[in-house]
Amino acid sequence: MDDFFTTHVGLRRGTSAECQSGPAYYGPSAVTMVALNLLGAPAWVIAATQKLERLAMLPSGWDSYGGRPLKQSARESTLKAISWLQQEELPIPAVVLGSKGTVQLEWHSGSKELDVDLGEGEDIGFVKCDDEGEPLEGRTGQGPEELRRLTRWLVTR
Amino acid sequence: MSQDATNRLQPRPLPGFDCPPLDEMVIVIQFEPLKQFSAAHMGLFWQKVRERYPLTEDNPPLLHQVELSEPTPGAGATIMRVPLALRCWFLSQDRTELVQIQRDQFIRNWRRIEGNEEYPRYETLIAAFKREWREFMAFVAEEKLGEVKIDQCELSYINQIPKGEGWESFADIGGVFRGLRPADPNGLLNSPEAIGWNGQYKLPDELGRFYAELSPGFRGRDFKFVLSMTLKSRGKPAGPSEDNLFAWFDLAHEWIVRGFDELTDPNMHAVWKRRP
């Protein structure tokens, strides 16, 4: 028995075998990847990365109260978070620089609001609120699944 | 014969760069699947190379891709077959070099991990690849796994040019890549949100294709904003001999080096320290 599925890339018509084979098996032979490709990226990804790059240019004391410049760890954590979420359909977040050089991503969707704090320690702080109850504050591990769980709460009606 | 024609016939020296923006180089040989090749054989082969590659990782297999000389009507130009077996990585201690094997592919990568590693050069890397390919061929013969019938080879160079090294915004991209200058610097389209480019060229004598791809993004290693330029030659050697095989890689390398030289701007050549 042939243990290969065959798929014709570029064909519009397909068979069930082609559908099963799908992109899950696809991986490039190169191992060093650009983690976040801006070409064709959703609007929120481009807007958030551009805002972050602008924040990275702010000097010490940017808020007139001794605010620290963007921490490298916060910049990397934020870009990692965006790269993990880049396939998600999300509204454009506000990207806010904290006085300690950390970053907060703030999303609003309908009556829901999600704030995610990045760059302060190993894990991620978050605040969720909607019009049905008290704001829920917490911390979660820094990983794609944890973040997706949060953003899916945001967009679920 | 005209002077132009004479010049074209004379072999031109290959340009060199002392500080190329190269992040990874990949050498691939793809062959018809070895039906008897199992996970156990991956372990057996690892024993042979373990001293050089003490670390391992399991990964999903790569697709079996075959470059067609002509596109099929109404379809893309690539046929892919998806194997159900694993792909194993054998990595050097510093993770800059790795060998990837699966039942239909043998791959060797060199990559920058910290960012300051010196590119060992094509001659060094292809010589190491040749040694290890021979080891793999000897292993296949020893284990009676069947004949290795090569159906495709690939050589890829992944260059990454960070923001601040010759460009600050997409409006400057014409200073990095020839041909991407805006027609009117004061025009409507002088400041793109993002910009990319793809080119595809036929190698001579039906030996495959050369691909160039440019895309902006954030590099996974350090999340620096980069222009990623992947140059790839893919095709099939002229014959089954080892000489044919490595002549193909030399041609693939020549196209990548000349392609890089032709696609990029002389101002950037100074940054990358081009040797005449």
Side-chain angles (χ1 to χ4, degrees), chain A residues 1-13 21-43 45-47 49-50 52-54 57 72 75-81 83-84, chain B residues 23-24 26 28 33 35 60-63 65 74-84 87 89 98 100 103-104 107 109 111-112 154 158 160 163 170 193-197 214-220 222-226 228:
Chain A
M1 191 180 122
D2 192 357
D3 55 356
F4 281 76
F5 293 123
T6 298
T7 175
H8 303 271
V9 170
L11 280 176
R12 285 183 187 276
R13 63 195 154 77
S21 61
Y25 278 102
Y26 184 75
S29 52
V31 295
T32 305
M33 297 294 296
V34 169
L36 190 53
N37 190 340
L38 291 187
L39 265 192
V45 169
I46 293 181
T49 52
Q50 284 178 340
L52 186 69
E53 290 303 294
R54 283 199 295 275
M57 295 161 79
Q72 183 59 20
R75 183 181 172 276
E76 289 195 15
S77 299
T78 308
L79 287 167
K80 256 186 219 166
S83 73
W84 289 333
Chain B
D23 218 63
E24 182 172 4
V26 194
V28 183
K35 298 282 184 194
L62 298 168
L63 294 171
Q65 297 180 302
T78 308
I79 289 178
M80 298 176 171
R81 292 197 298 167
V82 184
L84 296 175
R87 168 173 48 139
W89 288 9
L98 66 142
Q100 308 182 53
R103 62 199 309 185
D104 61 346
I107 301 167
N109 303 52
R111 59 180 172 160
R112 287 196 162 117
E154 187 178 305
I158 298 143
Q160 293 181 342
K163 184 182 168 190
F170 291 118
E193 178 186 57
I195 195 165
W197 180 82
L214 175 68
S215 62
F218 289 88
R219 178 164 62 194
D222 53 10
F223 278 94
K224 275 193 174 169
F225 194 21
V226 296
S228 184

Side-chain angles (χ1 to χ4, degrees), chain B:
Chain B
M1 189 183 289
S2 73
Q3 188 59 46
D4 270 4
T6 311
N7 288 345
R8 276 199 301 272
L9 290 175
Q10 284 172 350
R12 290 174 297 151
L14 210 53
F17 295 86
D18 286 339
C19 304
L22 184 64
D23 218 63
E24 182 172 4
M25 183 231 206
V26 194
I27 313 172
V28 183
I29 294 181
Q30 178 184 272
F31 37 87
E32 288 182 15
L34 298 167
K35 298 282 184 194
Q36 308 303 319
F37 193 92
S38 66
H41 292 109
M42 294 202 185
L44 284 172
F45 184 69
W46 184 42
Q47 287 306 318
K48 295 189 177 292
V49 297
R50 190 173 182 171
E51 227 167 82
R52 273 166 284 155
Y53 302 101
L55 310 174
T56 66
E57 269 183 42
D58 290 343
N59 280 280
L62 298 168
L63 294 171
H64 191 102
Q65 297 180 302
V66 179
E67 187 83 33
L68 301 178
S69 58
E70 296 299 333
T72 51
T78 308
I79 289 178
M80 298 176 171
R81 292 197 298 167
V82 184
L84 296 175
L86 273 181
R87 168 173 48 139
C88 247
W89 288 9
F90 305 137
L91 300 105
S92 61
Q93 192 65 48
D94 65 3
R95 295 180 174 268
T96 59
E97 295 189 65
L98 66 142
V99 166
Q100 308 182 53
I101 56 168
Q102 62 182 52
R103 62 199 309 185
D104 61 346
Q105 293 189 41
F106 185 87
I107 301 167
R108 194 178 194 281
N109 303 52
W110 171 84
R111 59 180 172 160
R112 287 196 162 117
I113 293 285
E114 299 293 335
N116 55 2
E117 296 90 346
E118 196 174 333
Y119 167 47
R121 303 283 148 192
Y122 170 77
E123 292 72 19
T124 306
L125 293 174
I126 198 75
F129 179 80
K130 191 186 273 191
R131 258 192 328 271
E132 281 157 3
W133 171 248
R134 284 175 178 163
E135 267 182 280
F136 180 72
M137 292 289 278
F139 172 78
V140 169
E142 195 180 302
E143 292 294 323
K144 300 183 174 54
L145 294 174
E147 192 186 349
V148 174
K149 294 179 184 163
I150 295 171
D151 59 18
Q152 183 156 280
C153 296
E154 187 178 305
L155 181 69
S156 297
Y157 279 57
I158 298 143
N159 299 284
Q160 293 181 342
I161 305 155
K163 184 182 168 190
E165 294 182 15
W167 67 285
E168 289 295 336
S169 76
F170 291 118
D172 305 332
I173 207 163
V176 181
F177 299 96
R178 297 185 211 199
L180 285 183
R181 283 196 180 84
D184 176 1
N186 300 312
L188 194 63
L189 306 181
N190 68 347
S191 186
E193 178 186 57
I195 195 165
W197 180 82
N198 283 292
Q200 178 177 318
Y201 308 82
K202 280 189 126 180
L203 296 177
D205 306 321
E206 299 293 325
L207 286 170
R209 287 192 178 84
F210 167 71
Y211 296 91
E213 183 194 328
L214 175 68
S215 62
F218 289 88
R219 178 164 62 194
R221 161 156 57 82
D222 53 10
F223 278 94
K224 275 193 174 169
F225 194 21
V226 296
L227 291 170
S228 184
M229 183 192 204
T230 299
L231 302 175
K232 178 182 351 188
S233 299
R234 196 162 70 188
K236 191 175 176 183
S241 74
E242 193 185 85
D243 283 351
N244 289 139
L245 177 63
F246 287 96
W248 187 91
F249 279 114
D250 289 345
L251 176 83
H253 171 245
E254 181 180 347
W255 272 67
I256 286 171
V257 174
R258 291 199 196 285
F260 177 81
D261 191 47
E262 285 185 24
L263 290 167
T264 50
D265 192 271
N267 289 327
M268 293 306 294
H269 294 173
V271 175
W272 301 323
K273 298 195 166 73
R274 185 188 191 277
R275 280 177 269 114

